[in-house]
Amino acid sequence: MATATNLGFPRIGANRELKKAVEAYWSGKSSGENLLAAASDIRRSNWRLQADAGIEQIPTGDFSFYDHVLDTAFLFDLIPKRFRELKPASDLDLYFLMARGLAGGQQTQALEMTKWFDTNYHYLVPEIGSDQHFTLARNTATDHFLEAAQLGYAARPVILGPVSFLWLSKSASDGSKPLHLLDRTRDAYEELLRRLASAGAAWVQMDEPVFAVDWNGRISPAALKQLYEHLAAAAPGVKILLSTYFGPLKENLEVALALPVHGLHLDLVRGPEQLEHALRAAPSGLTLSLGLIDGRNVWRADLARALSVAEQAAAVVSADRIMVAPSCSLLHVPVDLDAEDALEPEVREWLAFGKQKLQEVSLLAAALNKGRKAVETELKENAAVLARRNSSPLVRNPAVRDRISSITAADRSHNSPYSIRKQAQASTLHLPAFPTTTIGSFPQTGQLRRERLRRKNGVIGEEDYKTFIRKEIEYAIRRQEEIGLDVLVHGEAERNDMVEYFGELLEGFAFTKNGWVQSYGSRCVKPPIIYGDVLRRSAMTVDWWSFAQSLTQRPVKGMLTGPVTILQWSFVRDDQPRRDTCMQIALAVRDEVVGLEAAGCRVIQIDEPALREGLPLRAADAPAYLSWAVDCFRIASAGVADSTQIHTHMCYADFNDIVDAIAAMDADVISLESARSQMVLLEAFQKNRYPNELGPGVYDIHSPRIPGSSEMVNLLHRALAVIPPERLWVNPDCGLKTRQWDEVVPALQNMVAAARTLRSSAARDEVSSRR
Ligand code: GLN
Ligand code: ZN
């Protein structure tokens, strides 16, 4: 019989109970015992929900107080000295110290945080010293398994596999991936497997997502095989399921099939084509776990199609060697659609969240075991929903489609090359050398958040709320004038979130009430759902911008979120390529750009902080992505006159491998996060001869520290080694919304002073060179 299984479930709780519990603990309002109790409640209700959905192998060990990569490091006692030294009062505090750099009144530098493969989930990067010992120091994995077993659930412990763990870690000395320590992990993993086996686990799910990326020779298949041979031998009573996801294994499939494991999970949503090869080459006795239900998106599956795939597998291997599963852990989707009573019913029936996806998994397993007839009604209902979605007037807007098909090369290009645009802009903007500006947002104060909530709950009316926002804008403009900035911003007070704000004003987007997914730690996001053709019905930012500009003589920059970022931070429709959806958003942004220009706006910034993170996992897929992503930015930005200056902004990324694409975007000015990295990223811009204007951040806005002016002058001098003075801008790393006004004002005063220092020394140089 085929088994209905799951790879992992959201740990935040159906109503973000985890967030509430950990934050109460952090703030000292609640005890450690309370937190542990809240955690066990979440686990219990997750298991119950999964069992009720018909799941027969329920994951344990997928729960985490903060992050599962950190959990793995903690389990194996990989705790850098700076955390141990502080001797925190409890294990919980030691853990949170590593996660946040802050716990039990103590403080140190937290572990670095970065993105989990191509998702919007962030994990903590373990730091591994060269003399590091991996020791199984904690019992959490067995405890959670037993906790579930005692409640009567057939549990399957999940652990992050050794290769992926090392791939995601960094060596404490040079930051490289400590893959040479593979052998060093052996004892600890063996011990873990032994303990799970003696606790009674039949299967252990070993997550190795690294199989879906390019290894470029950095992982030795032979060493890998040897390690897994040891693991299999260490605990013969337990079966290992090697679980891969986020993409097809390609050349790594052979390596996976050669490992002495009992089962292999394949992501057949991202890599359907690999099944055939796997079926042909699988050693006899290997169980295949078929990742048929999309764990990364929110759409109901095409069950008939998924079932055909499962049947194709069942024709080759016997049904008791088949597991049906989501493509990956459900960590990346919201918990339950049932609570969403405010969604348009027509759209709502197209969706499936965590719980609904598990019901789909069970249904597929039942169909395999009992035949299609047994689930005939459900299959029919599913087909009817898909047919309704497919033919719904909500998904297709002929006018949008016509416009997409008539995009010309001219729509993708500015009228003139940068060198000519620069002159046109100089003669309208009259900016000084080293112009100063900010990235868009100003502090979102407690009062602002309160007013927004009062508006949402209907305590205040639209007009009162707008009056309040106008006051915020005026405050921001006055402060910027006093500080002496050259290009001002309105401050984004009206925006709750840079994607949601635009999504709410565009057609084709739906919003949930409770569709949260974990971004990192206790921080959750509620991505909009793009279900239909995207259309801008009316202006989105023009009024706010016009109001801001009416208050000052200095130029106020228009602020927009770019098409790729809107796409990247939403759940995207799966009935057309992402590229097509992005084009539609690009046209909507273009209309807004043109609208701003018509209202008199001369500087417009289109933020693309998420462009880099959209890069596919495999290098071979990067050029295609970058080509349409750049295209979309150009469509969004190129509808204006030469004299209108286009800015863009990017952050949290290593830009080395995409400088050419950034140059191809052909924005007049780009601002980048670089103060945090002390300008090292600029080397890439130098090497690739970045042709336009550049504002490398000189103020690290992630820290409450106020940088001094001379420090910023130093950073700017480093930048001048790479960028000629006539192309250098002076700005912070990113938006200032998370900061306080009393930090921001002095920091920006120092920044303006730094620009003035540069101007006067440049003037001196000029005088001396004339002499
Ligand atoms: N304009 C946005 C802001 O200042 C940019 C945010 C971002 O880069 N993530 O907040
Ligand atoms: Zn930013």
Side-chain angles (χ1 to χ4, degrees):
M1 296 281 263
T3 322
T5 65
N6 185 22
L7 268 58
F9 200 72
R11 55 185 70 128
I12 56 176
N15 294 300
R16 285 184 298 159
E17 288 84 353
L18 181 63
K19 176 188 182 68
K20 290 161 201 159
V22 289
E23 289 180 358
Y25 176 71
W26 292 341
S27 69
K29 288 196 195 104
S30 166
S31 67
E33 283 91 84
N34 282 344
L35 177 54
L36 296 178
S40 113
D41 285 347
I42 295 173
R43 286 194 293 271
R44 198 185 303 229
S45 60
N46 281 352
W47 294 333
R48 165 131 202 204
L49 180 153
Q50 297 176 76
D52 287 350
I55 296 302
E56 298 159 287
Q57 273 188 14
I58 294 177
T60 62
D62 53 343
F63 177 81
S64 173
F65 282 117
Y66 204 99
D67 161 49
H68 55 274
V69 182
L70 173 61
D71 292 359
T72 314
F74 209 61
L75 190 69
F76 293 140
D77 221 25
L78 304 167
I79 298 166
K81 208 163 109 216
R82 66 176 182 281
F83 303 108
R84 272 186 207 285
E85 266 173 3
L86 291 178
K87 298 202 173 48
S90 66
D91 235 26
L92 215 46
D93 282 349
L94 177 58
Y95 177 87
F96 286 133
L97 210 48
M98 290 169 75
R100 313 173 64 220
L102 201 72
Q106 288 173 306
Q107 210 174 331
T108 182
Q109 198 195 344
L111 291 180
E112 185 193 324
M113 186 163 74
T114 187
K115 284 195 188 263
W116 172 247
F117 298 93
D118 62 347
T119 74
N120 212 352
Y121 172 82
H122 303 68
Y123 74 94
L124 289 156
V125 183
E127 287 167 24
I128 317 251
S130 53
D131 52 353
Q132 192 83 58
H133 284 285
F134 287 65
T135 357
L136 183 62
R138 287 170 179 83
N139 283 324
T140 26
T142 358
D143 289 350
H144 289 177
F145 170 78
L146 289 171
E147 192 182 313
Q150 272 147 21
L151 291 168
Y153 298 112
R156 181 171 85 194
V158 183
I159 48 185
L160 182 57
V163 203
S164 298
F165 179 76
L166 291 178
W167 182 275
L168 297 165
S169 302
K170 65 176 188 188
S171 109
S173 50
D174 63 2
S176 65
K177 299 184 185 306
L179 288 157
H180 59 289
L181 298 181
L182 203 52
D183 228 27
R184 199 81 69 78
T185 67
R186 198 177 106 193
D187 291 348
Y189 273 97
E190 281 183 8
E191 179 58 21
L192 178 57
L193 288 170
R194 271 196 294 268
R195 284 200 209 168
L196 288 170
S198 56
W203 282 90
V204 168
Q205 173 185 324
M206 199 77 104
D207 277 358
E208 292 283 21
V210 77
F211 272 87
V213 308
D214 294 322
W215 292 359
N216 297 325
R218 284 187 282 186
I219 296 173
S220 142
L224 187 60
K225 186 164 177 217
Q226 213 174 49
L227 176 67
Y228 268 87
E229 272 162 4
H230 284 291
L231 299 187
V238 70
K239 296 179 182 161
I240 295 177
L241 173 73
L242 184 82
S243 146
T244 69
Y245 41 84
F246 297 156
L249 304 198
K250 299 197 171 159
E251 70 284 1
N252 301 334
L253 181 57
E254 284 306 323
V255 183
L257 288 170
L259 294 183
V261 292
H262 297 80
L264 173 64
H265 173 84
L266 296 174
D267 181 339
L268 298 177
V269 174
R270 290 266 180 106
E273 69 283 1
Q274 58 187 338
L275 179 63
E276 226 182 282
H277 182 139
L279 286 171
R280 227 180 311 115
S284 66
L286 185 75
T287 292
L288 281 177
S289 166
L290 310 175
L292 292 166
I293 301 297
D294 193 349
R296 295 284 298 271
N297 214 334
V298 292
W299 305 101
R300 278 181 82 163
D302 181 339
L303 291 177
R305 200 168 64 195
L307 189 53
S308 309
V309 177
E311 286 164 349
Q312 182 198 342
V316 181
V317 300
S318 65
D320 51 347
R321 278 173 48 208
I322 291 182
M323 294 176 179
V324 182
S327 60
C328 59
S329 164
L330 298 175
L331 181 63
H332 313 286
V333 294
V335 175
D336 188 1
L337 182 68
D338 288 348
E340 297 297 335
D341 49 17
L343 278 170
E344 199 169 329
E346 190 173 350
V347 174
R348 190 178 183 281
E349 71 162 8
W350 306 338
L351 302 172
F353 291 176
K355 176 172 150 190
Q356 291 70 33
K357 286 175 182 289
L358 294 179
Q359 290 164 344
E360 295 182 330
V361 165
S362 318
L363 197 98
L364 290 175
L368 269 191
N369 292 332
K370 302 181 203 147
R372 281 188 183 229
K373 264 251 161 310
V375 292
E376 208 181 355
T377 336
E378 288 88 345
L379 288 180
K380 263 206 191 115
E381 193 254 353
N382 175 260
V385 169
L386 296 187
R388 283 198 289 275
R389 178 180 169 200
N390 195 30
S391 62
S392 168
L394 289 179
V395 292
R396 226 162 269 108
N397 181 330
V400 172
R401 294 188 173 240
D402 285 351
R403 221 180 138 197
I404 295 279
S405 58
S406 57
I407 292 174
T408 61
D411 296 332
R412 293 185 172 86
S413 290
H414 290 286
N415 299 331
S416 315
Y418 164 74
S419 53
I420 293 179
R421 301 199 307 266
K422 181 170 174 65
Q423 290 163 24
Q425 291 159 21
S427 56
T428 47
L429 287 172
H430 307 293
L431 295 172
F434 312 110
T436 55
T437 190
T438 60
I439 308 304
S441 57
F442 270 103
Q444 298 234 337
T445 56
Q447 198 195 356
L448 175 51
R449 279 194 292 269
R450 273 193 300 281
E451 293 299 314
R452 190 171 289 142
L453 196 66
R454 296 207 313 153
R455 174 69 201 111
K456 205 176 138 201
N457 298 336
V459 182
I460 54 168
E462 188 64 18
E463 265 325 300
D464 288 346
Y465 178 66
K466 284 194 168 161
T467 307
F468 176 79
I469 297 290
R470 273 188 218 107
K471 280 201 198 117
E472 292 282 303
I473 292 177
E474 180 156 13
Y475 185 84
I477 294 287
R478 293 295 164 249
R479 296 296 81 71
Q480 293 173 85
E481 285 186 325
E482 286 160 14
I483 292 165
L485 289 154
D486 301 307
V487 175
L488 311 193
V489 296
H490 78 292
E492 302 180 19
E494 79 287 9
R495 300 182 195 174
N496 36 358
D497 174 276
M498 65 188 287
V499 170
E500 193 169 312
Y501 178 79
F502 290 96
E504 279 174 350
L505 296 168
L506 291 167
E507 233 169 74
F509 285 74
F511 293 85
T512 61
K513 283 209 297 207
N514 207 29
W516 298 99
V517 290
Q518 187 180 19
S519 171
Y520 62 89
S522 70
R523 178 157 167 77
C524 301
V525 293
K526 202 152 58 68
I529 296 170
I530 307 178
Y531 63 84
D533 287 347
V534 176
L535 181 69
R536 169 190 177 268
R537 278 237 174 270
S538 51
M540 303 184 281
T541 64
V542 177
D543 285 351
W544 292 124
W545 174 83
S546 300
F547 173 70
Q549 185 64 82
S550 75
L551 301 171
T552 179
Q553 296 301 312
R554 304 192 184 193
V556 176
K557 195 159 52 161
M559 270 307 144
L560 303 173
T561 304
V564 184
T565 298
I566 293 180
L567 183 88
Q568 206 53 38
W569 289 348
S570 302
F571 285 118
V572 180
R573 60 194 290 184
D574 61 351
D575 57 350
Q576 66 183 21
R578 290 172 77 79
R579 167 188 167 277
D580 296 4
T581 305
C582 200
M583 282 296 167
Q584 296 180 355
I585 307 171
L587 285 176
V589 175
R590 179 185 178 100
D591 292 349
E592 189 68 16
V593 169
V594 170
L596 280 167
E597 182 185 54
C601 186
R602 292 289 161 264
V603 185
I604 301 169
Q605 178 170 313
I606 307 170
D607 291 328
E608 285 291 18
L611 192 122
R612 168 69 176 73
E613 75 187 44
L615 266 191
L617 289 175
R618 298 281 196 162
D621 302 325
Y625 162 75
L626 286 171
S627 141
W628 63 252
V630 168
D631 246 15
C632 286
F633 182 87
R634 294 177 62 121
I635 290 168
S637 59
V640 290
D642 287 350
S643 56
T644 299
Q645 188 171 64
I646 297 289
H647 290 218
T648 189
H649 165 73
M650 290 186 192
C651 49
Y652 3 84
D654 168 4
F655 303 102
N656 275 300
D657 39 1
I658 60 161
V659 178
D660 287 342
I662 295 176
M665 288 162 70
D666 200 18
D668 299 299
V669 183
I670 180 169
S671 60
L672 294 166
E673 172 184 301
S674 56
R676 272 223 286 192
S677 61
Q678 295 284 311
M679 305 266 155
V680 285
L681 72 88
L682 289 180
E683 284 162 27
F685 283 78
Q686 179 175 41
K687 227 180 16 225
N688 293 273
R689 298 176 186 280
Y690 183 74
N692 301 2
E693 287 156 60
L694 193 67
V698 291
Y699 161 21
D700 173 5
I701 58 89
H702 293 94
S703 156
R705 201 175 72 85
I706 297 161
S709 162
S710 58
E711 189 180 315
M712 294 196 249
V713 169
N714 284 341
L715 288 176
L716 288 165
H717 276 302
R718 285 202 207 175
L720 280 171
V722 174
I723 313 155
E726 66 281 8
R727 289 203 263 122
L728 182 63
W729 283 66
V730 179
N731 48 257
D733 264 0
C734 191
L736 301 165
K737 70 169 164 224
T738 56
R739 298 262 64 88
Q740 310 286 324
W741 276 106
D742 58 359
E743 298 159 359
V744 158
V745 169
L748 292 179
Q749 281 167 342
N750 292 348
M751 189 183 91
V752 167
R756 288 186 180 144
T757 307
L758 242 57
R759 280 172 208 156
S760 50
S761 63
R764 265 199 314 278
D765 290 354
E766 204 166 303
V767 173
S768 58
S769 73
R770 254 188 246 140
R771 259 199 238 116

